[in-house]
Amino acid sequence: MKALRGLLLLIVALPLVGCQSVLMSPSGDLARQQRDLIITSTVLMLLIIVPVIALTLLFAWHFRASNKKATYDPDWDHSTILELLIWSAPLLIIIALGAITWVSTHKLDPYRPLDQLAPGRPVPANARPLTVYVVALDWKWLFIYPEQGIATVNELAAPVDRPINFKITASTVMNSFFIPALAGQIYAMPGMETTLQAVINHPGEFEGFSANYSGLGFSGMRFAFHGMSDGEFTQWVDRAKGAGGDLSREVYVKLAQPSRYEPVHTYATVAPGLYQAILTQCVDPASRACLSNTHPAGDTRAGDMDGMSMSSRTD
């Protein structure tokens, strides 16, 4: 019997060997709140599941054929107390889950500016978010830092305890931008822009990847996200400026061509308006896909990154 029990435990544990606990021990405040939501929801559901399983086993044992002391009542069909327990307990759980879901949906909205860096640490009034443009390419990630004037491929960095404002789009097909230690996944879609507000609270190197299948090179769409001190981040930017090339529109067109397992490289300069051109699919203005061509002359709505015509909220 002991050998059989050990074999069953081994069978259950084997699928979990490759699992990581990053979702349960995140390094960003947004991911921490999402983890707490998972735990709270699981505990609430277990309040129903565990008693039901326990009572099922108890009833099966108590009313077994060999137990002559168990009352046999073939005409029993109703109990007010049992009916109240059966219906009221799940109803209360559903109400609690609904309330938590309603509050969390608004509080953890990826478009909502952060109100805290960590528990008990509100965002300073003078804090300026770090803006990063994220472009999902085939099959790699392009990150553009408009304030620093640099761009990187398959490498991302941000200072610890500084709000980050990600603006996310894609070049061809839909992908999903996901750094488990930082926040939940956000879709990246061509011709549309999604947003993620987040913060990293601990220094270190964290894995990011695409969580949405996008073709042959999907498995190689991974990148390193570095949480750094302000000084280390400044040095990282300086290294990118010193060792990188120029990300012109011509260079971007070549970069956007499908490639697998693209190595990390940086660009010291970025062509003005490149992200906006990617977003509106107007890197080549003559392209039929250029969204600005669908608007009358002088209409600048297609050039407004924050306009609702160019924005898609994906929670």
Side-chain angles (χ1 to χ4, degrees):
M1 181 61 69
K2 289 184 178 180
L4 178 60
R5 189 161 43 222
L7 179 61
L8 290 175
L9 288 174
L10 180 62
I11 293 174
V12 172
L14 275 177
L16 303 177
V17 171
C19 294
Q20 298 179 355
S21 61
V22 62
L23 288 176
M24 293 294 105
S25 57
S27 299
D29 185 66
L30 193 64
R32 179 195 60 78
Q33 294 182 66
Q34 293 170 340
R35 176 208 59 191
D36 293 346
L37 178 60
I38 293 173
I39 294 174
T40 301
S41 301
T42 302
V43 170
L44 284 173
M45 289 183 286
L46 287 175
L47 290 178
I48 294 295
I49 295 172
V50 171
V52 167
I53 293 175
L55 288 173
T56 300
L57 296 175
L58 176 63
F59 288 172
W61 172 257
H62 180 71
F63 292 103
R64 68 193 186 277
S66 60
N67 184 11
K68 303 303 180 181
K69 296 181 180 180
T71 302
Y72 178 66
D73 188 1
D75 297 323
W76 181 90
D77 61 358
H78 178 74
S79 169
T80 302
I81 295 177
L82 282 179
E83 289 285 350
L84 288 174
L85 289 175
I86 290 171
W87 290 105
S88 62
L91 181 60
L92 291 174
I93 297 298
I94 291 172
I95 292 173
L97 285 172
I100 292 172
T101 301
W102 173 266
V103 173
S104 301
T105 297
H106 292 83
K107 185 178 180 181
L108 301 180
D109 182 356
Y111 283 72
R112 183 174 181 263
L114 301 178
D115 53 13
Q116 67 177 32
L117 299 177
R121 296 175 55 200
V123 176
N126 60 347
R128 185 173 61 177
L130 172 68
T131 299
V132 181
Y133 298 147
V134 180
V135 183
L137 303 174
D138 294 332
W139 288 278
K140 48 200 167 279
W141 292 95
L142 172 65
F143 305 105
I144 300 175
Y145 290 77
E147 181 183 345
Q148 290 73 24
I150 64 170
T152 62
V153 173
N154 286 343
E155 185 177 51
L156 179 63
V160 169
D161 291 336
R162 179 177 176 182
I164 312 170
N165 181 16
F166 293 104
K167 300 289 188 179
I168 307 167
T169 190
S171 61
T172 55
V173 299
M174 185 172 73
N175 271 282
S176 180
F177 177 70
F178 191 22
I179 305 174
L182 182 70
Q185 63 171 324
I186 300 294
Y187 284 115
M189 295 171 283
M192 298 186 231
E193 182 184 79
T194 48
T195 298
L196 172 63
Q197 309 278 352
V199 63
I200 191 71
N201 298 124
H202 302 287
E205 180 177 316
F206 310 98
E207 184 181 30
F209 52 88
S210 172
N212 188 80
Y213 182 74
S214 58
L216 183 64
F218 159 76
S219 59
M221 287 191 68
R222 298 178 177 271
F223 61 90
F225 170 57
H226 304 280
M228 302 176 169
S229 65
D230 289 336
E232 291 172 335
F233 179 71
T234 299
Q235 295 175 4
W236 181 81
V237 171
D238 290 340
R239 288 196 298 270
K241 288 183 176 180
D246 299 325
L247 184 58
S248 63
R249 294 197 178 204
E250 293 76 14
V251 171
Y252 170 79
V253 170
K254 295 179 180 178
L255 177 66
Q257 296 301 312
S259 63
R260 301 175 62 187
Y261 300 100
E262 188 78 16
V264 172
H265 50 279
T266 60
Y267 298 95
T269 63
V270 180
L274 178 60
Y275 174 75
Q276 181 63 28
I278 297 170
L279 178 59
T280 57
Q281 300 181 325
C282 294
V283 175
D284 177 8
S287 170
R288 296 180 60 185
C290 181
L291 296 182
S292 63
N293 292 339
T294 65
H295 295 278
D299 189 343
T300 59
R301 287 178 296 172
D304 181 6
M305 285 188 300
D306 298 320
M308 290 305 294
S309 63
M310 292 307 305
S311 177
S312 173
R313 293 173 64 90
T314 303
D315 298 343

